[in-house]
Structures are given as structure tokens and as C-alpha cells.
Amino acid sequence: MREFCVKVPATTANLGPGFDCIGMALQLYNSVKVELTEDKKIPLEIISRNNFHIPADETNLIYASIKRFYDEAGIGNLPPIRLTQDDKIPMTRGLGSSAACIVAGLIAANEISGLKLKKEDLAALAAKIEGHPDNCVPAIMGGVVVGAVTNGQLSFIKLYTGLFEQNNVSFAVCVPGFELSTELARKVLPEKYSRADAVFNVSHASLLTAALANGDLSKLSAAMADKIHQPYRSALVPNMTEIFEKANKLGAIGSFLSGAGPTIISLFTEHDFEKKMQSYLDTLPGGWQIFNLKLDYNGAVIE
Ligand code: HSE
């Protein structure tokens, strides 16, 4: 029986102004053990190592993504398979848990089929499945990734930024106990924006990318401002504005809503920031818990 394991990082999308185009991988992982069982009587078996309620049939997102890879590649039937999921990325919290499943499925299918597609090709397919590139692409490639879709074709660049490592920047990933569906968090956004708001976000997303590329920590705080999604989503994340303000007072370099939320991430270097922030969050309703994470540079790997 052949077996291998796929490990995929959590991701945070947008980083403030980079709505649907900038994302970053974090050192928190989902793993899935893939076993080719050769047992034709049980074509599919799905187990959750954490006893989570995950779909155990063909609707399972990892399995559906394996299937999608086979369909897109136009290759034959899948062999009998057992998937054992070990999920550490909180679900429905804006940390790319769905993207991690899609990526795990595509990496697994690439390995099972022996097609040996490049990570770049898998990233394009993953972005097509998810509808935007800002979670799946960093989940595959690692690091901070900027992506754009032109006439249906994905172009992306992984920024080789040493900014966070050189300045010992950590991410206080503040995860609440409540969930927020991406569907709802996208529904509250307007169909149209003013030219002033469009210019605001283009300029800030560009400044953010340039600051990351040049390693300029001093511009990050200003660069993380946004007028496209965060102001509209604040109504769905109780105390979001207060949390941003408190993080700022405690010395955060910058804060943003992680993807569609409700998780909020603050960048910090002060050693006691996390402790002070957690004490503050404990005074709020919502069951907020901080994960202190670093940037993941490698993206998805087979182990
Ligand atoms: N860019 C997406 C959003 C990420 O903010 O809606 C969530 O999938």
C-alpha cells in the first residue's frame, strides 16, 4: 500500500488593502495522510483525527479537489483511497482552511497520478476552484504572494521578503470563538465603489507591496489601511474597531482583518504585546484567543 502525507499552511488574505490579491502563509498546518488502499470494496474512506464533523463522502473538499484534478487532466478513475485529516487551522475564521483543503487535494492528486505538474500550475487550478488567488496561492507557494487574474489567466509573484524575519516580526493571530461565513462577509460588500476609494486601495496595496519588497517596516502601518472591505465587515465582527485601536495603543506595527474575518491579525515586535493583547481580549465577549505565528516560507509539502 502506497502512502504519503500532505502538509498545507494556514493563510491570511488581503493584509488590509490587497482585497482578493495579496496573501501570506502562516506556520500553522493541516495535514492529510493519503493511503492508496487497493481495497476495491471501499473506494473512499475519510477519517478526522481530531473528531471534527467533516464530510466523509464525495463532497469532502479534499476529495472533491482530487477528483477535480483528475477531471481537468482528463485521466481515468481514482484508485481506492483513505484520507486521514489532521486539521489544526480553525475553520470558518478567515485563515484559509478551505483553501488548505483544495491545495491538499490537488497536491495529493498530482502525486497519485504521477503527472508531476509544477506548483505554479497547481496554484492556477486552485485559484480557479476558489475564485480568487489570495489564499490558495500562498498556501501552495508559501511566503507573501501577490496575484492577479488577466483574461482568466493567473499571474503571481512570491515576494522574497526578509522583512519579517530580519525585524523579528510576529503575528498575533486573534481568533474569536464565533464563525463568519465568507459568503456572508462578501455579501455585505458594495457592488460599486467611488473613484476616491478605488484610488485609496490601489495606492495602499501598491505601497504595501513596495514596502514588503524593499523591506521597509516604517511604511507598513500606513500601508495596511483599507476602504474596500474592512469598513463594511466591521458590523459582522463585534469590537473590531476597538481591537484595532487597542492593538495600535499597545504598539502593533499594523492590524488587519484576516481574509473575510472574523480573525484579526496584528504585527508586533514587543515581547509583551501578546500577553497584554490577550488580557484585553479576555475583557471582551466572543472568546478571543491569540495564536502567536510566524510567516511560512515553504508552502504545501509532501512528507
Ligand atoms: N479575499 C477574500 C475575501 C478572502 O476577503 O473575501 C476570503 O476567502
Side-chain angles (χ1 to χ4, degrees):
M1 181 173 69
R2 208 172 127 209
E3 67 172 69
F4 60 90
C5 199
V6 186
K7 190 173 125 186
V8 187
T11 46
T12 180
N14 306 330
L15 276 70
F19 181 70
D20 278 1
C21 63
I22 303 180
M24 176 170 82
L26 297 166
Q27 290 180 9
L28 177 69
Y29 303 91
N30 277 2
S31 299
V32 58
K33 183 160 94 171
V34 181
E35 294 167 281
L36 303 177
T37 61
E38 290 159 28
D39 182 353
K40 292 210 171 76
K41 277 183 263 148
I42 309 176
L44 172 63
E45 192 182 352
I46 296 173
I47 300 163
S48 168
R49 197 160 269 171
N50 329 73
N51 293 322
F52 290 152
H53 290 290
I54 49 168
D57 57 15
E58 297 205 348
T59 63
N60 177 283
L61 194 49
I62 297 179
Y63 184 76
S65 305
I66 295 176
K67 189 92 186 21
R68 176 75 180 263
F69 177 102
Y70 268 64
D71 292 345
E72 294 269 340
I75 45 181
N77 291 336
L78 267 167
I81 197 168
R82 183 187 301 126
L83 302 174
T84 307
Q85 293 185 218
D86 184 4
D87 298 324
K88 298 283 188 317
I89 306 172
M91 287 186 234
T92 336
R93 299 297 198 288
L95 288 167
S97 63
S98 304
C101 289
I102 294 169
V103 166
L106 297 184
I107 300 256
N110 200 32
E111 181 71 13
I112 300 165
S113 66
L115 278 193
K116 297 191 192 309
L117 296 191
K118 286 189 290 189
K119 269 190 160 188
E120 284 75 4
D121 298 323
L122 298 176
L125 179 53
K128 198 165 123 191
I129 295 172
E130 204 176 43
H132 39 86
D134 47 344
N135 286 109
C136 320
V137 184
I140 292 188
M141 307 304 300
V144 182
V145 179
V146 182
V149 179
T150 316
N151 298 326
Q153 293 297 313
L154 174 70
S155 305
F156 68 83
I157 289 181
K158 175 174 169 177
L159 294 173
Y160 285 94
T161 180
L163 175 67
F164 300 128
E165 209 165 36
Q166 281 150 18
N167 295 283
N168 207 21
V169 175
S170 294
F171 303 93
V173 179
C174 309
V175 185
F178 57 88
E179 302 182 347
L180 175 56
S181 86
T182 301
E183 197 188 348
L184 175 64
R186 289 180 85 83
K187 243 187 216 158
V188 297
L189 304 182
E191 276 299 316
K192 293 182 176 168
Y193 293 90
S194 68
R195 183 193 300 183
D197 285 357
V199 170
F200 185 94
N201 266 61
V202 170
S203 55
H204 284 77
S206 306
L207 185 67
L208 176 61
T209 309
L212 291 169
N214 274 11
D216 189 341
L217 197 63
S218 71
K219 302 294 186 301
L220 280 193
S221 176
M224 285 181 166
D226 158 70
K227 290 197 176 181
I228 294 280
H229 70 109
Q230 291 181 171
Y232 304 98
R233 288 170 165 170
S234 65
L236 303 173
V237 184
N239 304 112
M240 181 179 132
T241 311
E242 293 88 330
I243 293 171
F244 275 40
E245 281 167 8
K246 185 69 181 183
N248 193 26
K249 273 196 197 127
L250 292 176
I253 298 160
S255 300
F256 53 84
L257 189 65
S258 182
T263 291
I264 292 169
I265 297 186
S266 293
L267 279 60
F268 70 98
T269 51
E270 308 279 328
H271 75 280
D272 57 353
F273 175 86
E274 185 195 345
K275 209 167 130 222
K276 288 183 178 162
M277 195 65 193
Q278 183 65 64
S279 299
Y280 165 70
L281 292 173
D282 288 344
T283 68
L284 301 177
W288 295 84
Q289 192 201 340
I290 298 184
F291 291 64
N292 181 346
L293 300 178
K294 298 269 188 197
L295 182 70
D296 166 280
Y297 285 97
N298 302 319
V301 289
I302 291 184
E303 295 183 323

